[in-house]
């Protein structure tokens, strides 16, 4: 038996180590980490490469690390959770899915997972947004009216929103949700408590060349800087037609024209996003759309189901779990592309994202690391 954790580990810090070890305590099972690769859910390049993060995770409690395809890793909470759960279900040995959240009350989380797709709730949300309300406020008001204040409170946190999406994605499966209350600080907090800081704060400290010793098990030797990719994204946007933009995920009717108009008069990504941003189109959603443009991820590509599992690293316990995988295992990208299969388009997107992320370092890296890097073994 095994427990899965869907994660970014961007970077792997003390809070992540706590979640991994707490999951082992609660389930007494080895851990499969289903981890984003080179880009993350918010559309940003990961602060350090996936192989470094894999090694740190294996050193600190994970037994097997596999890759969440970029077509799911860069997406909204529902699609992100769906991709992670698809991979968890591919392992016959996985009986639990553990995740960190602000509120580990499973009963309330289950109610919240029903609330966000409730017809009455969505009717109120639509009416509130027509009045000019922002979606988060409209959601809170609607859920409060139908399900009560305790359920509405749960949906204020991004980690809790992912938690309820995991629970929803698990419906109909034999995998049980295992919520774990986060320790120390809240998501995106600017404070440090008991040697635990949020991943966003640690990324900022790393990029500002501040000392992060003690906040994560090991400090990465090299990190990325998102601004190194800005000119490439601007190039993509300036050379894409409205028709090409319309094929990207999460595009609403007419949004492609708003982006085209903003590109004509703005000289930075932040300017474009702020000009296009509305109550409906949030900063995070628009950041993902910029990433879709950069990585060549269309709505059609994003909708492709997961039909392989890419192995990044494992220890002896993890090697045993690989035998329980129902999907084809990729241990060599080159061999996988040469084989007769129907997942090459998604895998090519993964390779492309790794090669693009290589340009985000102070000294750009060479292409082809997905072909050259050996699986991390312990």
């Amino acid at each position: 038996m095994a427990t899965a954790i869907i994660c970014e580990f961007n970077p792997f810090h003390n809070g992540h180590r706590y979640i991994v070890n707490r999951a082992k305590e609660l389930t007494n099972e080895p851990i499969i980490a289903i981890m984003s690769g080179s880009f993350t859910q918010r559309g940003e390049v990961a602060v350090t490469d996936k192989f470094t993060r894999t090694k740190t995770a294996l050193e600190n409690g994970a037994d097997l690390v596999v890759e969440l395809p970029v077509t799911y890793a860069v997406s909204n909470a529902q699609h992100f959770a769906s991709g992670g759960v698809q991979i968890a279900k591919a392992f016959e040995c996985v009986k639990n899915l553990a995740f960190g959240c602000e509120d580990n009350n499973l009963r309330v989380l289950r109610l919240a997972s029903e609330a966000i797709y409730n017809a009455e709730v969505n009717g109120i949300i639509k009416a509130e947004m027509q009045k000019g309300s922002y979606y988060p406020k409209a959601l809170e008001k609607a859920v409060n009216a139908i399900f009560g204040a305790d359920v509405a409170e749960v949906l204020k946190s991004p980690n809790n929103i992912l938690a309820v999406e995991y629970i929803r994605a698990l419906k109909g499966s034999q995998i049980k949700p295992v919520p774990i209350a986060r320790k120390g600080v809240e998501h995106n907090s600017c404070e440090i408590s008991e040697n635990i800081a949020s991943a966003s704060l640690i990324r900022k400290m790393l990029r500002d060349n501040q000392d992060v010793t003690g906040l994560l098990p090991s400090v990465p030797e090299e990190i990325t800087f998102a601004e190194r990719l800005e000119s490439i994204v601007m190039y993509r946007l300036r050379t894409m037609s409205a028709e090409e933009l319309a094929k990207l995920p999460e595009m609403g009717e007419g949004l492609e024209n708003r982006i085209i108009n903003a590109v004509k008069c703005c000289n930075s990504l932040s300017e474009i996003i702020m000009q296009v941003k509305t109550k409906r189109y949030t900063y995070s959603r628009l950041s993902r759309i910029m990433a879709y443009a950069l990585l060549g991820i269309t709505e059609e590509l994003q909708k492709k189901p997961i039909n392989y599992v890419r192995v990044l690293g494992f220890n002896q316990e993890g090697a045993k779990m690989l035998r329980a995988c129902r999907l084809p295992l990729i241990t060599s990208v080159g061999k996988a592309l040469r084989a007769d299969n129907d997942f090459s388009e998604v895998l090519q997107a993964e390779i492309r994202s790794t090669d693009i992320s290589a340009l985000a370092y102070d000294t750009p890296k060479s292409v082809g690391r997905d072909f050259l890097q050996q699986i991390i073994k312990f």
Side-chain angles (χ1 to χ4, degrees):
M1 301 301 102
T3 294
I5 294 177
I6 303 167
C7 54
E8 292 184 328
F9 293 159
N10 184 36
F12 189 100
H13 56 66
N14 291 345
H16 294 137
R17 180 165 57 184
Y18 169 76
I19 295 294
V20 170
N21 290 329
R22 181 62 178 151
K24 282 194 165 183
E25 290 174 6
L26 290 172
T27 66
N28 196 32
E29 294 171 351
I31 300 295
I32 298 177
I34 303 165
M35 189 183 77
S36 301
S38 301
F39 283 78
T40 65
Q41 194 198 353
R42 291 180 61 85
E44 297 176 349
V45 62
V47 73
T48 190
D49 71 90
K50 56 192 172 188
F51 305 104
T52 297
R53 283 149 47 223
T54 294
K55 181 175 181 293
T56 306
L58 291 171
E59 289 172 338
N60 290 276
D63 299 285
L64 170 63
V65 182
V66 299
E67 188 167 54
L68 178 63
V70 67
T71 51
Y72 285 83
V74 181
S75 61
N76 60 31
Q78 180 183 358
H79 198 69
F80 180 93
S82 170
V85 169
Q86 283 182 59
I87 294 177
K89 289 178 179 178
F91 284 87
E92 189 176 358
C93 58
V94 170
K95 300 302 177 187
N96 294 289
L97 178 71
F99 46 84
C101 50
E102 310 302 337
D103 186 337
N104 65 344
N105 185 322
L106 187 54
R107 180 190 67 82
V108 176
L109 289 172
R110 288 189 189 279
L111 285 173
S113 73
E114 297 173 11
I116 56 177
Y117 294 98
N118 179 271
E120 288 184 83
V121 167
N122 283 293
I124 295 173
I125 290 172
K126 184 177 180 180
E128 288 298 312
M129 292 189 71
Q130 287 175 343
K131 295 176 186 176
S133 178
Y134 283 93
Y135 177 78
K137 288 290 184 184
L139 174 65
E140 181 183 353
K141 183 173 182 178
V143 173
N144 186 44
I146 306 300
F147 286 83
D150 56 343
V151 179
E153 184 68 25
V154 161
L155 293 172
K156 288 183 179 181
S157 162
N159 281 313
N160 285 347
I161 289 173
L162 265 178
V164 300
E165 291 292 357
Y166 292 146
I167 290 170
R168 182 174 182 270
L170 288 174
K171 283 186 176 180
S173 78
Q174 300 300 311
I175 301 174
K176 297 179 181 179
V178 181
I180 298 172
R182 284 161 51 89
K183 183 179 179 183
V185 297
E186 293 184 357
H187 178 79
N188 281 344
S189 172
C190 292
E191 298 183 1
I192 298 172
S193 174
E194 300 178 27
N195 285 331
I196 292 180
S198 67
S200 58
L201 177 59
I202 293 173
R203 289 194 297 273
K204 183 179 186 305
M205 293 175 69
L206 283 168
R207 287 166 173 159
D208 289 344
N209 201 29
Q210 296 181 39
D211 184 15
V212 294
T213 305
L215 297 178
L216 57 173
S218 60
V219 179
E221 294 181 4
E222 293 183 286
I223 61 169
T224 63
F225 295 85
E227 57 268 27
R228 302 287 185 271
L229 299 179
E230 181 162 345
S231 61
I232 309 173
V233 182
M234 291 295 291
Y235 165 77
R236 283 287 296 144
L237 294 174
R238 288 184 176 189
T239 56
M240 291 180 75
S241 66
E243 291 76 16
E244 288 173 317
L245 283 167
K247 293 178 181 178
L248 302 179
E250 299 192 65
M251 295 289 289
E253 185 177 352
L255 180 58
E256 64 273 16
N257 296 316
R258 290 177 59 85
I259 294 175
I260 289 286
N261 290 333
V263 168
K264 290 177 180 177
C265 61
C266 298
N267 296 318
S268 71
L269 278 181
S270 59
E271 287 178 335
I272 291 172
I273 292 174
M274 291 310 296
Q275 181 154 323
V276 177
K277 180 176 175 289
T278 65
K279 291 175 181 179
R280 180 180 178 187
Y281 301 114
T282 63
Y283 196 98
S284 295
R285 179 174 175 177
L286 291 169
S287 294
R288 285 195 299 272
I289 289 172
M290 302 299 113
Y292 299 144
L294 172 65
L295 301 174
I297 297 174
T298 62
E299 184 173 17
E300 181 183 4
L301 179 59
Q302 193 184 66
K303 286 181 176 179
K304 287 184 177 294
I306 294 174
N307 54 8
Y308 70 86
V309 173
R310 165 89 182 279
V311 182
L312 296 177
F314 55 84
N315 59 21
Q316 289 185 342
E317 193 66 43
K320 299 175 186 176
M321 290 188 283
L322 289 173
R323 301 169 196 157
C325 186
R326 301 183 181 98
L327 289 176
L329 291 169
I330 293 181
T331 56
S332 167
V333 167
K335 289 181 180 178
L337 290 178
R338 289 192 296 271
D340 182 17
N341 58 63
D342 61 351
F343 50 71
S344 62
E345 193 176 0
V346 173
L347 190 55
Q348 288 282 11
E350 199 68 61
I351 296 164
R352 188 163 59 245
S353 71
T354 302
D355 288 344
I356 291 173
S357 71
L359 296 171
Y361 294 87
D362 276 335
T363 301
K365 307 300 178 188
S366 300
V367 300
R369 190 168 184 189
D370 274 314
F371 294 92
L372 301 174
Q373 175 67 49
Q374 297 290 314
I375 290 175
I376 309 297
K377 297 179 182 179
F378 276 76

